[in-house]
Amino acid sequence: MAVRASLACFPSDAALQESSGIPWGVAVTPFSAADERGSPPATGDEGHLLPRCESCYAYFSTLCPLHRWSWSCAICAADNDLSPDASARYARDGDQDPPEMRSAFVDLLLPGEEGEAVPAGAAATTTTTPVYVAAVDLSSSEDFLELVKSALLAALEAISPGSLFGLLTFSSKIGLYDVQGPIPIVKNAFIPPGSDGTLFVDLEDVMPLHSFLAPVDSCKDRIVEALETIKPTSSWEITATASEVQDHALHYARGFGLAMDAVVNYLCSEYGSTFELARIFTFLSGPPNYGPGKIETRSDGEHNAAKMPGSDHTFISVQTNFYTNLAASAVQAGVCVDLFAITNEYTDLSSLKVLSVESGGSLYMYSNTDESTLPQDIYKMLSRPYAFGCVLRLRTSTEFKIADSYGHFFPDPQYTNVQHINCCDSFATYVYDFEFQKDSQFSRKSSPPILQIAFKYTTIVHQGDTSDDVSNSISRSKFTLQRRLRVRTIQYNTTANIWDLYDFVDPDVVLTILVHQVILASLSDVLEAKIWLRDWLVNAIAQYNKAYKIVRSGGTGISDIDVDFIHCSQLQPLSRLVFAFLLSPLLRLHGQVHWKHQRFGKLYVLH
């Protein structure tokens, strides 16, 4: 768990923080294997025995004063009793100390919990199988499909042996591939025109799920053979008689919405027995134009922001809520969707992105096939370890609080500052913005500021081959499912000196906070967001010059202002970074404003 603060030395009060002009917050990468200095957590079992504060529910850590029969919470200072078993646990000496006594950064195994990924009463580890499904758009070109085939070959190399893999295609019909026989077989389910969101037949009836999901280790060659049979709809034999005009039109249909809805329902038909999380990586060559979830395609001129009602700097509104509802179904079913769009057409990813964002997946946009890095990107994505069914909670000591939070999570409907994450890899980063509680400050007499981040998650652990016969070429790898709790408690220094504050600025975190704030503001008005960012930089330069008292007038009466932060190396990258952000496609106006959300996929920062 890496935690980086924009101001590694916290300001003593709100006035100092405001006068610095620098945002105050942290960027948290909860599933990184080590902290920001490269130190791994202390690991162990019995995570359910970790004491919690009866007042604020924070976890016990090395920063908590420990007494014979009680302990004091580092977050809220409340006193808590220790049970006799806990007291004996913390009375151990030397190497027998539990992990939470050896480090403020721990990762502990949990037993099964009711309502969580592991069923109640189960062991801390259970057997499972990773599931991956590729969904390929056939209403595309030969170049598109060649690129996708290369990407899927890379994906097969990246995923673990023993995983289950399914291949499907979509156009005006959904094609399911059975690659477990001597030759690959495809069976189709047609998407009816004017469909109300249902197929004539369920995919389970078209092909049983156990036939569709094939073990990669024993079926890789036939999966490759199946990929070679995939052809774009433009190459299909088309008869041009007048009576078959409708059939001709269906060859260019892209029924993405109903295909994804049907696949999600298909995968959850055996949820909990075959797998705990399925990842769908879907490849789009243009906007969905057929069936539920259809996107109205218009020319770039029609998408010009100046032609939209209201402010001519407002981002184009979402066309449909179909994908919002589909994302909710995917999360409920334990399905993560990664979306790869390879197109220079307007595809309305502002509507589609919610499917990947809220399900815990990634969104990638490529303007053409020639310069695409799709195979490399999908290999890196699938090679990374990932967690799912995650719950993230950040607690602060009493003097300050969370002002806002940003990231691909959805808030808990009951508890504040609790975020749920469907799928999270080792680079996924979440950002928190801080502010002081009313009339609060850090003084010499008060306790130092403390953060505690708790991250509860489930992960799949590869345990090796289950076969005793090493010569058996179709042996299956064994995977176990672990529910774990990762807790990190950090104490920060404070300063009342603005020069010390500047010396401990992390420009990468500052820019990360600004990016999230500006993107959020740009949803209402792009121009206002751009002006706000420019004004922020002007104010930061002014506050820096005021602090160092380096503004002076020469004989010409012209002020000499340091805009390069020459007295503070930590601030020097900011002008260049903000200037690049101002010129980026994210803040481009008018005809190109719609690209803003198309290009803003999962925000991987600080890696």
Side-chain angles (χ1 to χ4, degrees), residues 188-202:
N188 296 301
F190 286 88
I191 301 174
S195 170
D196 60 354
T198 58
L199 298 173
F200 289 142
V201 60
D202 292 337

Side-chain angles (χ1 to χ4, degrees), residues 321-361:
N321 292 323
F322 176 86
Y323 297 100
T324 302
N325 299 329
L326 179 55
S329 298
V331 171
Q332 184 68 27
V335 174
C336 169
V337 181
D338 299 293
L339 179 59
F340 300 87
I342 307 101
T343 177
N344 58 5
E345 294 183 66
Y346 179 80
T347 310
D348 191 20
L349 293 187
S350 58
S351 295
L352 299 179
K353 71 182 179 69
V354 67
L355 179 58
S356 60
V357 170
E358 294 197 2
S359 69

Side-chain angles (χ1 to χ4, degrees), residues 259-279:
M260 288 298 101
D261 183 59
V263 171
V264 168
N265 293 329
Y266 187 31
L267 292 173
C268 72
S269 62
E270 294 188 26
Y271 174 67
S273 58
T274 302
F275 59 90
E276 294 291 338
L277 177 81
R279 295 195 70 167

Side-chain angles (χ1 to χ4, degrees), residues 417-484:
N417 298 325
V418 176
Q419 283 93 23
H420 295 266
I421 306 166
N422 196 41
C423 185
C424 171
D425 67 23
S426 55
F427 288 99
T429 301
Y430 308 90
V431 178
Y432 295 87
D433 203 4
F434 296 143
E435 65 182 8
F436 280 92
Q437 295 279 10
K438 186 177 181 181
D439 300 326
S440 291
Q441 62 179 355
F442 301 121
S443 65
R444 293 181 178 179
K445 296 181 180 180
S446 63
S447 300
I450 291 177
L451 292 182
Q452 185 178 90
I453 304 102
F455 182 61
K456 190 180 292 186
Y457 65 97
T458 301
T459 186
I460 297 174
V461 180
H462 187 200
Q463 299 292 344
D465 203 344
T466 61
S467 174
D468 295 330
D469 181 5
V470 295
S471 64
N472 185 357
S473 61
I474 60 171
S475 60
R476 296 290 299 278
S477 295
K478 180 181 179 182
F479 299 85
T480 57
L481 201 67
Q482 293 186 355
R483 188 66 171 167
R484 304 190 69 90

